[in-house]
Amino acid sequence: MKPNEDRARAAVVMVWAVIVLELIGIISNYMQYDLLQCFSNGVEYTTEQLENNDLRVKFVTIIYGVFFAMSGITFIMWFRRAYYNLHQCHKDVRFLEGWAAGAWFVPILNLFRPFQIMKELFNLNGYLLAKNGIKNIKTFPALYLSAWWAFWLINNAMIQILNKVSPEADEVESLSNESLFYIGQSIISIIAGLLIIKIIKAYNSREKLLFELKPVEVDQ
């Protein structure tokens, strides 16, 4: 087994950073929505206000994209190391270690394989801890895993919709609706982020117990 605590910590920090940026994005999109509503109601605004709005939205989008990518990298690094460690302790792990990273990038497979691996991490880790006499650790509710994956899939579906939506004839109304949709998508993303933070911390505490067993009784 290899230490994984630093990777877990990095993944949690980056998810928190994305959540903060999601909150900033909500504020930014609401400001854009408010501006568009004022325009629809006949309130005058300056070219400078419009330019500042566009610059703010673009800046937030770029920064968010950078941190989201970094968050994905740190999470997959933790996820793969966790699955690698499980492989060192049990011979009947369902999938090859590399799928903990690769499954996220394979169409169709990425809709269910990462979730299967996450469930297996908790199930086999709990089994190994119990086998080594550690039975007082609190059971992690499977509902959290299911909720996280559901919100993750919903979030990704909403992003796909946003990427494919074309402006309508009434551009102001279209942009207003798009701003509200972005706000909804950010809320879903925040919930998914809070759940994965809880999941990473819960598994990290269990993995540390397994790592500290010297020697750990493994199934080979």
Side-chain angles (χ1 to χ4, degrees):
M1 292 182 69
K2 297 180 181 180
N4 202 20
E5 188 173 1
D6 288 345
R7 293 189 178 201
R9 188 180 300 112
V12 167
V13 168
M14 291 309 303
V15 174
W16 273 120
V18 169
I19 289 175
V20 170
L21 288 168
E22 290 283 13
L23 291 170
I24 294 173
I26 289 174
I27 296 171
S28 177
N29 278 292
Y30 180 78
M31 291 172 66
Q32 176 169 270
Y33 173 78
D34 187 58
L35 181 66
L36 292 167
Q37 289 301 108
C38 289
F39 174 75
S40 296
N41 294 327
V43 178
E44 294 185 2
Y45 59 88
T46 65
T47 303
E48 184 180 2
Q49 284 178 299
L50 248 159
E51 291 176 348
N52 288 340
N53 176 76
D54 290 343
L55 286 173
R56 185 192 66 250
V57 170
K58 288 178 181 178
F59 178 76
V60 172
T61 301
I62 292 171
I63 296 299
Y64 174 83
V66 170
F67 275 85
F68 184 83
M70 293 170 62
S71 175
I73 291 169
T74 55
F75 172 79
I76 289 175
M77 288 176 64
W78 166 79
F79 195 51
R80 178 165 183 169
R81 174 64 60 83
Y83 207 46
Y84 166 85
N85 285 340
L86 189 64
H87 272 268
Q88 310 313 304
C89 300
H90 201 286
K91 67 178 180 179
D92 292 325
V93 181
R94 289 180 65 187
F95 310 109
L96 295 174
E97 171 208 338
W99 280 120
W104 295 93
F105 306 100
V106 180
I108 308 301
L109 197 66
N110 59 12
L111 297 176
F112 57 88
R113 182 57 54 79
F115 177 62
Q116 291 176 325
I117 292 174
M118 185 69 83
K119 285 203 302 182
E120 189 175 31
L121 284 172
F122 276 91
N123 290 339
L124 288 185
N125 178 276
Y127 162 76
L128 290 168
L129 289 176
K131 186 173 182 179
N132 283 274
I134 301 177
K135 300 180 180 180
N136 60 343
I137 189 167
K138 187 177 180 181
T139 302
F140 190 75
L143 178 62
Y144 284 120
L145 300 180
S146 298
W148 157 66
W149 194 245
F151 279 106
W152 170 256
L153 291 179
I154 293 169
N155 178 62
N156 278 275
M158 293 179 77
I159 291 174
Q160 292 300 317
I161 291 171
L162 283 167
N163 289 337
K164 292 179 180 179
V165 168
S166 300
E168 299 173 358
D170 187 346
E171 189 173 355
V172 173
E173 183 180 356
S174 177
L175 287 172
S176 295
N177 292 335
E178 186 179 281
S179 297
L180 291 177
F181 200 85
Y182 267 116
I183 291 172
Q185 180 265 318
S186 292
I187 292 171
I188 295 296
S189 180
I190 288 171
I191 295 172
L194 292 173
L195 286 168
I196 197 57
I197 286 172
K198 187 175 184 67
I199 290 168
I200 293 171
K201 288 183 175 181
Y203 189 80
N204 183 56
S205 65
R206 289 158 171 74
E207 190 176 41
K208 285 194 295 183
L209 289 174
L210 196 61
F211 186 80
E212 290 167 1
L213 291 172
K214 299 182 183 298
V216 63
E217 183 180 348
V218 299
D219 287 358
Q220 298 289 359

